[in-house]
Amino acid sequence: MALIRLLARPLLASYFIANGVDSLRNANALAAQAAPVTEKLQPVAQRAVPNVTVPKDPTLWVRANGAVQIVAGAALATGHFPRLASGVLAASLVPSTATRYRFWEAQDKAVRSDQQTHFLKNAALAGGLAIAAGDTAGKPGLLWRARHTAKDVRREAAHAVKDAKLEAKAFKAAHT
């Protein structure tokens, strides 16, 4: 593993692990902030998985998001499924950012500035996670492998057609 990955992944993950722990510890306090967002997300989630009962309790949503951040953060930090972990962490940023940093609603200029700074920090983290999610560590990604496999299959099929024509021509010449 490259030294940069060895250092960067745990550094990036550290924020999410700490944020997840904070979410678990302070779930009740954060639930009040999360309620407007969870009220909108719950029906969408329920429609997405109609056979599963999606909870309405914002405290549970905060705890679930915190647990997801801890688990995915630990996976990223240790290099286990880093691309998947990065994607999951990026997805977990959306509700937590929408919950905690709605700067456009703040009336006080100092609060608005602070909220905007945190919002932009989360946007920057999302950018870092997007890079990490696309990092194949120098190995071909699934898309590259799929394209090259398709190219190889087309080439082999063309060779098989050419060989079949030659065989047919040889067969015809031998039997005429």
Side-chain angles (χ1 to χ4, degrees):
M1 177 188 290
L3 181 60
I4 192 73
R5 284 183 194 88
L6 189 65
L7 297 173
R9 285 177 179 162
L11 287 172
L12 183 56
S14 66
Y15 169 80
F16 294 97
I17 295 169
N19 195 57
V21 168
D22 181 58
S23 292
L24 291 179
R25 285 185 178 161
N26 301 310
N28 291 331
L30 294 172
Q33 290 177 324
V37 175
T38 60
E39 286 173 7
K40 292 176 184 171
L41 285 178
Q42 192 275 339
V44 173
Q46 188 63 64
R47 282 192 299 276
V49 286
N51 297 333
V52 177
T53 302
V54 177
K56 293 182 180 185
D57 179 22
T59 304
L60 186 58
W61 280 73
V62 169
R63 286 186 179 132
N65 193 53
V68 164
Q69 288 186 340
I70 292 168
V71 171
L76 178 61
T78 59
H80 290 89
F81 305 105
R83 296 179 72 196
L84 176 62
S86 297
V88 168
L89 289 171
S92 79
L93 266 179
V94 174
S96 62
T97 301
T99 296
R100 289 184 172 179
Y101 307 122
R102 296 189 308 258
F103 66 91
W104 53 91
E105 294 176 355
Q107 300 300 318
D108 182 78
K109 191 171 184 168
V111 171
R112 182 184 192 96
S113 177
D114 185 53
Q115 294 293 315
Q116 190 171 21
T117 298
H118 285 294
F119 183 91
L120 293 173
K121 173 219 19 145
N122 280 12
L125 284 169
L129 289 167
I131 292 170
D135 178 25
T136 61
K139 299 174 189 168
L142 287 176
L143 185 59
W144 184 93
R145 287 185 281 182
R147 285 180 181 157
H148 280 73
T149 299
K151 184 178 172 182
D152 291 344
V153 167
R154 283 191 302 270
R155 186 178 58 244
E156 292 299 321
H159 287 312
V161 168
K162 190 176 182 181
D163 289 345
K165 286 180 181 179
L166 288 173
E167 291 289 330
K169 191 175 184 180
F171 181 80
K172 188 176 179 183
H175 290 78
T176 49

